[in-house]
Amino acid sequence: MERGSKVGGTKRKILDAAGILVMVAIFLFYMIPFILILLNSFKAKRDIIKNPFSLLAEKGYSLGNYTEAFEKMNYIRSFGNSLFITGLSTLLVIVLAAMTAYYFVRAKDGISKIFFALMAASMIIPFQAIMIPLVSIYGAQLNLLNHRATLIFLHIGFSISMSVFIYQGFIKSNIPITLEEAAYLDGCTKTQTFFKVVFPLLKPTTSTLIILNVLAFWNDYLLPSLVLGRKELFTLPLSTYTFYGTYSADYGTIMAGLVLTVAPILILYLFLQKHIISGVVAGAVKS
Amino acid sequence: MGRNKSEKLKNMCIFALPGIFVFCAVVIIPFIYGFYLTLTDWNGVSQVKNLVGFTNYGEVFKDADFWNSMLLTLKYVLFSVLLVNLVAFLLAYMLTNGVKGQNFFRTGFFTPNLIGGVVLGFIWQFIFSRVLVNFGEATGWGIFSTSWLSDPNKAFWSMVIVTVWQLSGYMMIIYIAGFTGLSTDVMEAASIDGATGFQRLKSIILPLMVPSFVICLFLTLSRAFMVYDVNLTLTGGEPYGTTRLVAMHVYEKAFTARNYGVGQAEALFLFLIVACISGVQIYMGKRKEVEA
């Protein structure tokens, strides 16, 4: 071995090793909150107070915290509510936004221009600037609070601007009008053309928007807390919040509850990490 | 959209109307109605709203708590935005410079962004109020001897730490996308011309990364200004309301103190500030952008 004759010799290797060590250290710092929550979720309260770091628990490990948290959070019901609300909101906002954006690009009329500009501008309005009149209109005047359908409607309204904006950019630069004209001449109506020809071509943008919207709806707390007051309607973040408030001294149960809340999304992440990351980047860069 | 007038109208109703309707019903009408609310003395329950002119705006200027929480928010935004972007940029720089297992690290650093603020706040509340105190007792380090969340100043920094921990992974992937988009030709040319690592960073990488900076600054700014969930579940505004950020103040003004008019007027101030800052920032970013 002639040292130095190769590009990147010992020095390079030491630097690489040091780089990895630094990264691993930072990585551990990022992961430690999750590790501690998971570790302590199996321990009894006394063991947690004594030493949250210890791997050995005097009282041993048990799944007792989980069964308790599962029951007290009404996990199945809140999970079902979250799934229903997130699923339906995402589906509807995708279809509505794609159709609206398609109309905006192709019609090029005054209405399209006005509402596209309004939607783009509305993206800087903070939620706080709308939430008070929202409660006033949907609560005091229309009396529509405490319905899952209302929450779905509001979710759609808040995310449609961004979704239309991203679809609009994609349709404008990627969908050739000649394709539609061919279908149109073959006797398809605009609606048929859209669903049979255009919508399937929007797939990359659709998957980006599904990811962005699912994450936003699933994790949202403030809007659901304003709309849903009845416990039977609670989504996961809402029931986690009440659960934590009620049992804040039962550390073990709480840790198990937190694990149960983050588990679904982390499991999804395990399988779809590449899609999720590229979806989020695409969403950020385009809007 | 259509062969004749009636078909055009039909297609507009099918394609654009539903989306526009929901958008108006949820964003535009409440936003406009919000202006009207600021002119009333509504308390959230009563049927009657009395018009009170601009007195609510006067109340905003007299509301010392509001301006304190606004100042605190500005301080929080300043430190969060700087630290998030600094950490994110460094992580992205290291990960794109040949550290092995790039994908693995990237996946890990991004994880906190998948989880809602409510849960993140609770997780870190446990860390700050139990784990670190325990750590302080075990090591004898005074800085951890009492919970950070019971001291106004340390509670503030706890929020900044959690924010950096949460958002840096997100911004990191945007910076990584920026780094991988840098043209290798330009970098090689610079090396051949004898540019050192630091010179390359300062004169080539940073100017070419301006679009990424603009995106990340915009995202972190708007996120930090509106933060509510983490504030609610990490400190809850405690101790003694010293960590109440402006979003929480507005919420409490309207829904707890039942002062909807003043609350909405304050929310509009928040909107104006956010709009101005984002506007200025996007404008400056566009000016500095260079053609690659």
Side-chain angles (χ1 to χ4, degrees), chain A residues 12 16 19-20 22-24 26-27 29-31 33-34 36-37 40 48-53 96 99-100 102-104 106-107 109 111 115 118-119 122 124-138 140-141 153-154 156-158 160-161 184 188 190-191 194 215 219 221-222 225-226 237 240-241 244 251 255 258 261-262 265-266 269 273-274 276-277 280-281 284-285, chain B residues 1-3 7-8 11-12 14-16 18-31 33-34 37 42 49 87 91 94-95 97-100 103-112 114-116 118-119 122-127 130-131 134-135 164-165 168 170 173-174 177 215 218-219 226 228-229 232-233 247 250-251 254-255 260 263-264 267-268 270-271 274-275 278:
Chain A
R12 177 78 213 175
D16 276 354
I20 288 192
V22 172
M23 281 326 273
V24 169
I26 305 175
F27 186 76
F29 173 76
Y30 270 75
M31 289 298 119
F34 295 124
L36 282 173
I37 299 295
N40 287 300
I48 300 174
I49 294 177
K50 218 168 174 187
N51 187 357
F53 293 104
L96 285 183
M99 292 179 84
T100 311
Y102 177 69
Y103 183 85
F104 283 178
R106 291 291 183 252
D109 52 4
I111 294 176
F115 279 98
L118 270 178
M119 284 184 176
S122 79
I124 61 159
I125 302 177
F127 178 72
Q128 278 77 14
I130 296 181
M131 90 188 158
I132 297 166
L134 204 69
V135 170
S136 159
I137 293 173
Y138 289 87
Q141 293 180 3
F153 184 78
L154 297 178
I156 298 171
F158 281 115
I160 199 165
S161 305
Y184 200 52
C188 285
K190 280 281 168 191
T191 323
F194 176 76
L215 283 177
N219 287 325
Y221 170 79
L222 186 49
S225 79
L226 294 171
T240 312
Y241 184 76
Y244 198 96
Y251 292 115
M255 297 302 116
L258 293 178
T261 310
V262 299
I265 214 114
L266 288 188
Y269 187 48
Q273 34 173 295
K274 285 229 172 75
I276 291 180
I277 289 186
V280 172
V281 178
V285 174
Chain B
M1 289 290 279
R3 283 168 238 258
E7 202 189 338
K8 277 180 189 159
N11 282 329
M12 188 179 88
I14 296 173
F15 281 90
I20 289 177
F21 170 73
V22 186
F23 170 67
C24 289
V26 176
V27 179
I28 298 298
I29 293 171
F31 189 67
Y33 186 73
L37 266 189
W42 196 49
K49 298 187 186 74
V87 171
L91 285 178
M94 286 194 276
L95 283 184
N97 272 278
V99 170
K100 277 185 191 128
N103 279 333
F104 174 78
F105 286 122
R106 197 179 64 163
T107 307
F109 289 136
F110 185 71
T111 313
L114 300 165
I115 297 165
V118 167
V119 177
F122 283 143
I123 292 178
W124 279 90
Q125 194 198 59
F126 175 70
I127 306 285
R130 277 250 54 95
V131 177
N134 207 290
F135 186 68
V164 173
W165 176 79
S168 52
Y170 182 1
I173 57 169
I174 297 176
I215 296 168
F218 178 73
L219 285 173
M226 288 187 263
Y228 175 77
D229 299 7
L232 177 73
T233 58
V250 168
Y251 181 95
F255 301 124
Y260 281 63
Q264 182 58 20
L268 290 180
L270 176 66
F271 162 67
V274 174
S278 334

Side-chain angles (χ1 to χ4, degrees), chain B residues 132-202:
Chain B
L132 285 181
V133 174
N134 207 290
F135 186 68
E137 280 164 10
T139 56
W141 292 359
I143 189 168
F144 295 127
S145 61
T146 51
S147 166
W148 276 32
L149 301 178
S150 54
D151 174 275
N153 197 30
K154 284 184 194 153
F156 171 80
W157 286 104
S158 309
M159 288 199 299
V160 175
I161 289 172
V162 175
T163 309
V164 173
W165 176 79
Q166 185 196 1
L167 289 182
S168 52
Y170 182 1
M171 300 309 136
M172 174 198 74
I173 57 169
I174 297 176
Y175 285 125
I176 288 180
F179 274 121
T180 37
L182 291 180
S183 130
T184 41
D185 291 355
V186 177
M187 303 302 285
E188 269 168 23
S191 294
I192 292 167
D193 288 349
T196 62
F198 180 72
Q199 282 174 326
R200 260 184 298 168
L201 183 70
K202 187 177 149 267

Side-chain angles (χ1 to χ4, degrees), chain A residues 83-276:
Chain A
L83 198 66
F84 175 72
I85 289 166
T86 304
L88 205 54
S89 310
T90 307
L91 179 77
L92 288 172
V93 82
I94 292 287
V95 175
L96 285 183
M99 292 179 84
T100 311
Y102 177 69
Y103 183 85
F104 283 178
V105 175
R106 291 291 183 252
K108 297 192 194 96
D109 52 4
I111 294 176
S112 303
K113 281 177 193 141
I114 291 169
F115 279 98
F116 182 69
L118 270 178
M119 284 184 176
S122 79
M123 285 194 281
I124 61 159
I125 302 177
F127 178 72
Q128 278 77 14
I130 296 181
M131 90 188 158
I132 297 166
L134 204 69
V135 170
S136 159
I137 293 173
Y138 289 87
Q141 293 180 3
L142 301 174
N143 206 9
L144 287 171
L145 298 185
N146 273 316
H147 295 289
R148 278 174 294 199
T150 308
L151 179 57
I152 292 171
F153 184 78
L154 297 178
H155 269 325
I156 298 171
F158 281 115
S159 102
I160 199 165
S161 305
M162 178 206 60
S163 306
V164 166
F165 193 76
I166 294 178
Y167 268 132
Q168 201 262 2
F170 186 81
I171 295 172
K172 209 172 169 183
S173 47
N174 292 300
I175 308 296
I177 198 161
T178 42
L179 269 177
E180 296 154 39
E181 277 163 353
Y184 200 52
L185 290 177
D186 286 348
C188 285
T189 63
K190 280 281 168 191
T191 323
Q192 287 168 327
T193 316
F194 176 76
F195 282 104
K196 286 190 181 145
V197 181
V198 180
F199 193 67
L201 292 171
L202 303 179
K203 214 172 138 197
T205 305
T206 304
S207 65
T208 298
L209 285 173
I210 288 178
I211 287 163
L212 291 175
N213 283 314
V214 164
L215 283 177
F217 298 154
W218 185 268
N219 287 325
D220 195 14
Y221 170 79
L222 186 49
L223 177 63
S225 79
L226 294 171
V227 178
L228 306 175
R230 291 212 321 268
K231 270 201 156 176
E232 314 88 84
L233 303 176
F234 274 10
T235 58
L236 263 183
L238 293 182
S239 63
T240 312
Y241 184 76
T242 351
F243 168 73
Y244 198 96
T246 322
Y247 301 97
S248 61
D250 291 342
Y251 292 115
T253 322
I254 282 174
M255 297 302 116
L258 293 178
V259 174
L260 285 174
T261 310
V262 299
I265 214 114
L266 288 188
I267 291 169
L268 201 70
Y269 187 48
L270 219 55
F271 292 105
L272 296 173
Q273 34 173 295
K274 285 229 172 75
H275 297 276
I276 291 180

